[in-house]
Amino acid sequence: MAVPRNLRRQPANGSLVSHCTHHHIAVFLLTFFSYSLLHASRKTFSNVKVSISSQWTPSDINTTTLELQPYELWNSSHLFPNAEEATLFLGTLDTIFLFSYAVGLFVSGIVGDRLNLRWVLSFGMCSSALVEFVFGTLTEWLHFYNKWFYCCLWVMNGLLQSTGWPCVVAIMGNWFGKAGRGFVFGLWSACASVGNILGAFLASCVLQYGYEYAFLVTASVQFAGGIIVFFGLLISPKEVGLPELGEEQEGSAEEDANKPLISNDEDEDDQNYSIQAPDTRNQPKAIGFFQACCLPGVVLYSLAYACLKLVNYSFFFWLPFYLSENFGWKEAEADRLSIWYDVGGIVGGTIQGLISDMLQKRAPVLAISLLLAIGSLFGYSRSPNSKPINAFIMAITGFFIGGPSNMISSAISADLGRQELVRGNSEALATVTGIVDGTGSIGAAVGQYLVSLIQDNLGWMWVFYFFILMTSSTILFISPLLVREIRFLLHERHLCTQTG
Amino acid sequence: QPCRPQAGSRSGARHHRGWVQFGGLVCPGPVRNGSSVAGYCAARPALELQGRCCLSREPELELELGNGVLMWDPSVCSDLTENPLENIPNTSFQGFTRLQSISLPRALECPGGSMAWDLNTTHGDSRTCQGQRNLCNSSGELAWLCPENSQCSPDGPGLVQCMCSGRYHGYKCLREGTFPLLLFYGTLGAVTTILSLLAWGSQRRKAKAS
């Protein structure tokens, strides 16, 4: 009897289209652009590093035989004696930001689940914008340059920016059910890359007026985005009276459409989750941090994501440097070429999300993609000095690494946070997203330091071997889940061939 | 005769960009015969000869005495001969772009070196430097290379400075033009208001209290 199989396959397309209201579109766009704006301001900081470094140092004495006059115009800024020290400090600021961002992710997830997600998100966006304004614009207008002040502000910025991701993933998880979740989230994860492009564009437009205006523009736009989000974002369908996920399908063949793709037991009963009258429904209780950690799959996926985000982030961050050092290409060209990695990641996330939706299993798709990623990393390390070939291999690598990375941080986090163990009784989505991404960010922060260490001492080939090692560790961490899901798939197929 | 502070000078330092500080004192007495300073002073009715200095009649260009050191404005008082000066630091003449003639003890070099002056003559034990050159134009040893967005301009005898050219301004001439703040915030405010109203109207208006 092939009926159960067909029915099970239908919902993936049917329910995605059937209950896509204008609210869904608005939520998609608002969360998409709010995270883009948060990411844009991070990219702004990276793009103005050269200008800030000039502002903090006196003129380079080696290039001129005599000291340049007038003194106030060329030599009066002595925050750092030369450009190398300034660059070192800027790298330190990056690391500080990453670590405070990682810590903040753990906290923000918990806070988001307990407080109103909309309030947390708009508060995070607006206050982060204010901190960025003080960091870049106010210090320049007041000519107040102080290293400790910059460090403190950037720690605050990391903590405030971390409110973004758990909240937006949780809100998306509230609106978009398991059916089609992989595809929707894959498409939606493009928000980080769009934010990068937006930030680079805004910064390059106003950099001629001074780096302080780059900060002013991105901070102001982010603040405006926070206001729009506050007025327009609906965090859950029940806010407008629409049925919440898991309540719509009662007694229909779509009953397992909202069963998360990661499940422990195969025979569960959906009858408990029929629509309840609103006034008798209690506010779901948020679960604790350790309870969230103990949910099945959370720890494994967090560790896997730590290894993967290390590779993803280090590859993306060090790529322009590697290209200009290894092949001698100019930094602007290397910057532009590294966009292909991002593009590969977006396409990979979307396609792999779609495939995992159709299979209704995520881990096998991840594993295959990561195995192929090892091959492409190896190929990239041997890539010739040719821009088209390099860009092509870079896009392929982005496809195989960025794809799983996007999936784990978005769709799979949503799966984990809405599994049947917690659904209906407590809110766990933001907490789980915070845990997964927080662990990932710690991995990324450690990776920044390790890559520069390895590259200094052993060379670029060993950096690629290190990336291959990390990718293999990712596969290792998800192998228990992989085994379970493959076993389930085979069992399912065996059942169908037996009965059909 | 020994050098003394000139009678009638006031104490207290006056900080003005044109003042130069020397460890020595200007000796009173008339300008020597044949000194170029005398000719320079006689030719201009706005100036008058006082002692050895050719001063303008306006009060702010008087000599002043502060902390045992005489400060004077060499843009007009140009006869330093018979002064116990040993070495004039090059930067002392920073800013004197209009100094066209100066007389020094013969032992001293012309400020900025002989390349900085058109004419370098010696009479007895005094040396006269005349006609300050603009070193920005010269294509010799001091072919000056100013950084990007700046151009060379003279800053005194033998000295040059790099000032921002065109619309560039700010530290190291990195900034160009002025940011249109009003236009930016006007547009942003309008767009934000419209989008917020749109979002609230279509989304949250029917939302239950939260």
Side-chain angles (χ1 to χ4, degrees):
Chain A
M1 205 162 53
V3 172
R5 203 177 199 179
N6 281 343
L7 280 176
R8 256 201 297 268
R9 223 183 256 162
Q10 224 175 23
N13 297 321
S15 54
L16 178 62
V17 170
S18 65
H19 51 240
C20 184
T21 63
H22 68 93
H23 292 295
H24 286 80
I25 300 176
V27 164
F28 185 95
L29 288 174
L30 278 173
T31 51
F32 187 94
F33 282 108
S34 62
Y35 194 70
S36 297
L37 290 173
L38 282 173
H39 228 261
S41 47
R42 278 181 241 171
K43 189 70 175 156
T44 302
F45 176 67
S46 307
N47 281 26
V48 303
K49 275 184 182 167
V50 178
S51 298
I52 296 186
S53 173
S54 286
Q55 183 72 39
W56 286 345
T57 54
S59 291
D60 197 357
I61 318 169
N62 292 336
T63 58
T64 58
T65 47
L66 297 168
E67 211 176 86
L68 286 171
Q69 298 294 339
Y71 181 78
E72 300 82 31
L73 192 62
W74 300 104
N75 290 310
S76 54
S77 179
H78 281 281
L79 194 65
F80 296 99
N82 52 40
E84 284 78 34
E85 301 257 331
T87 313
L88 218 71
F89 180 68
L90 288 167
T92 312
L93 278 180
D94 268 336
T95 314
I96 289 177
F97 178 85
L98 272 175
F99 271 113
S100 62
Y101 185 73
V103 168
L105 276 171
F106 289 108
V107 173
S108 301
I110 301 172
V111 168
D113 271 335
R114 278 161 176 68
L115 302 177
N116 190 314
L117 286 169
R118 178 174 62 103
W119 283 87
V120 174
L121 182 62
S122 21
F123 170 74
M125 283 179 78
C126 293
S127 42
S128 161
L130 282 173
V131 170
E132 284 155 20
F133 171 76
V134 172
F135 178 90
T137 316
L138 210 62
T139 52
E140 176 58 33
W141 282 350
L142 299 176
H143 294 296
F144 174 69
Y145 310 114
N146 182 306
K147 295 180 215 179
W148 293 109
F149 191 59
Y150 284 132
C151 288
C152 288
L153 282 178
W154 225 225
V155 166
M156 268 173 62
N157 195 27
L159 292 171
L160 291 168
Q161 283 225 347
S162 66
T163 56
W165 187 250
C167 291
V168 294
V169 172
I171 294 172
M172 284 288 286
N174 284 343
W175 281 92
F176 292 92
K178 185 199 70 170
R181 178 179 281 157
F183 174 67
V184 169
F185 271 79
L187 206 59
W188 178 84
S189 317
C191 55
S193 309
V194 166
N196 284 344
I197 297 171
L198 198 66
F201 174 71
L202 283 175
S204 63
C205 276
V206 298
L207 199 54
Q208 57 171 5
Y209 299 112
Y211 77 90
E212 65 271 21
Y213 290 108
F215 278 104
L216 181 75
V217 165
T218 41
S220 306
V221 175
Q222 191 180 308
F223 192 89
I227 294 177
I228 298 174
V229 157
F230 181 76
F231 281 112
L233 191 61
L234 293 163
I235 55 181
S236 151
K238 66 179 190 279
E239 270 198 317
V240 277
L242 290 171
E244 177 139 17
L245 288 183
E247 296 167 348
E248 306 121 331
Q249 292 80 30
E250 32 164 9
S252 70
E254 298 176 322
E255 66 190 353
D256 65 344
N258 283 312
K259 200 166 84 172
L261 291 178
I262 302 160
S263 61
N264 285 328
D265 43 33
E266 280 118 71
D267 50 348
E268 58 144 324
D269 203 296
D270 259 4
Q271 301 308 318
N272 293 336
Y273 298 110
S274 55
I275 294 180
Q276 304 164 359
D279 44 347
T280 60
R281 190 190 178 84
N282 333 342
Q283 179 67 14
K285 200 168 47 96
I287 67 173
F289 181 78
F290 290 108
Q291 280 171 292
C293 284
C294 293
L295 287 174
V298 171
V299 172
L300 284 173
Y301 269 119
S302 300
L303 291 171
Y305 191 53
C307 298
L308 195 57
K309 191 164 183 177
L310 185 153
V311 177
N312 202 20
Y313 207 88
S314 305
F315 201 92
F316 181 67
F317 184 76
W318 286 99
L319 195 56
F321 187 65
Y322 165 73
L323 290 175
S324 52
E325 217 184 67
N326 218 27
F327 298 126
W329 298 342
K330 282 210 215 78
E331 192 169 28
E333 279 174 12
D335 268 340
R336 250 176 285 139
L337 228 66
S338 54
I339 293 179
W340 286 105
Y341 183 80
D342 248 345
V343 169
I346 298 174
V347 173
T350 313
I351 293 182
Q352 288 169 22
L354 194 63
I355 297 175
S356 66
D357 276 342
M358 294 197 291
L359 277 180
Q360 302 198 341
K361 288 283 165 276
R362 309 248 191 246
V365 181
L366 290 182
I368 296 175
S369 177
L370 290 169
L371 278 171
L372 292 169
I374 294 178
S376 60
L377 270 173
F378 193 72
Y380 189 74
S381 66
R382 302 252 184 297
S383 139
N385 187 348
S386 147
K387 292 199 186 109
I389 298 181
N390 201 299
F392 178 69
I393 305 182
M394 199 190 301
I396 302 270
T397 314
F399 183 93
F400 288 124
I401 297 185
S405 181
N406 281 351
M407 263 221 291
I408 296 184
S409 65
S410 56
I412 292 181
S413 301
D415 282 344
L416 292 169
R418 292 192 71 87
Q419 6 181 348
E420 67 280 1
L421 287 177
V422 288
R423 190 164 44 106
N425 281 329
S426 30
E427 299 284 25
L429 189 37
T431 311
V432 167
T433 310
I435 293 171
V436 171
D437 210 7
T439 321
S441 296
I442 292 178
V446 168
Q448 295 301 299
Y449 179 68
L450 282 178
V451 168
S452 73
L453 207 67
I454 295 175
Q455 190 264 320
D456 257 347
N457 294 326
L458 296 167
W460 284 109
M461 205 41 77
W462 280 94
V463 174
F464 280 102
Y465 293 150
F466 174 64
F467 287 160
I468 291 173
L469 177 71
M470 283 293 119
T471 314
S472 317
S473 314
T474 311
I475 303 179
L476 195 74
F477 281 124
I478 65 170
S479 51
L481 302 157
L482 178 68
V483 163
R484 193 190 307 147
E485 291 192 3
I486 290 183
R487 209 183 285 158
F488 180 70
L489 271 173
L490 291 173
H491 185 233
E492 207 180 88
R493 174 167 293 180
H494 183 68
L495 264 176
C496 283
T497 53
Q498 263 193 345
T499 53
Chain B
Q1 76 210 47
C3 295
R4 292 187 294 273
Q6 196 174 29
S9 6
R10 282 182 233 119
S11 62
R14 216 179 77 184
H15 296 280
H16 173 75
R17 206 171 164 239
W19 295 103
V20 176
Q21 193 169 325
F22 281 102
L25 302 167
V26 170
C27 297
V31 169
R32 287 149 339 108
N33 282 341
S35 160
S36 50
V37 179
Y40 183 86
C41 238
R44 284 155 186 75
L47 306 170
E48 68 173 4
L49 214 52
Q50 282 181 22
R52 305 177 69 114
C53 297
C54 183
L55 300 172
S56 113
R57 294 172 199 278
E58 288 138 48
E60 68 254 20
L61 293 173
E62 288 170 16
L63 293 172
E64 298 211 345
L65 180 67
N67 297 333
V69 170
L70 197 69
M71 293 191 249
W72 60 291
D73 184 353
S75 63
V76 286
C77 189
S78 306
D79 191 351
L80 297 177
T81 53
E82 292 183 31
N83 271 288
L85 297 169
E86 286 178 3
N87 198 18
I88 308 178
N90 206 17
T91 51
S92 312
F93 289 92
Q94 196 169 15
F96 296 116
T97 52
R98 289 173 302 157
L99 182 62
Q100 288 307 313
S101 143
I102 186 163
S103 305
L104 303 165
R106 188 192 181 140
L108 293 172
E109 276 292 318
C110 277
S114 46
M115 295 299 298
W117 299 90
D118 282 331
L119 211 56
N120 186 350
T121 52
T122 49
H123 290 294
D125 47 348
S126 84
R127 180 196 298 274
T128 306
C129 316
Q130 276 173 315
Q132 195 186 130
R133 273 204 203 130
N134 183 354
L135 285 170
C136 284
N137 297 336
S138 71
S139 58
E141 310 147 4
L142 272 179
W144 197 262
L145 291 167
C146 275
E148 259 185 286
N149 307 331
S150 62
Q151 59 196 21
C152 177
S153 66
D155 193 26
L159 301 166
V160 293
Q161 60 180 353
C162 295
M163 302 298 287
C164 297
S165 58
R167 295 175 64 218
Y168 292 94
H169 61 95
Y171 188 64
K172 291 186 186 169
C173 304
L174 289 169
R175 295 166 173 77
E176 179 186 7
T178 28
F179 183 75
L181 261 180
L182 218 62
L183 179 68
F184 171 69
Y185 275 113
T187 321
L188 187 68
V191 168
T192 311
T193 318
I194 293 173
L195 285 178
S196 304
L197 287 172
L198 210 72
W200 185 79
S202 67
Q203 305 297 314
R204 286 208 64 84
R205 194 157 38 105
K206 298 168 251 158
K208 304 194 169 77
S210 61

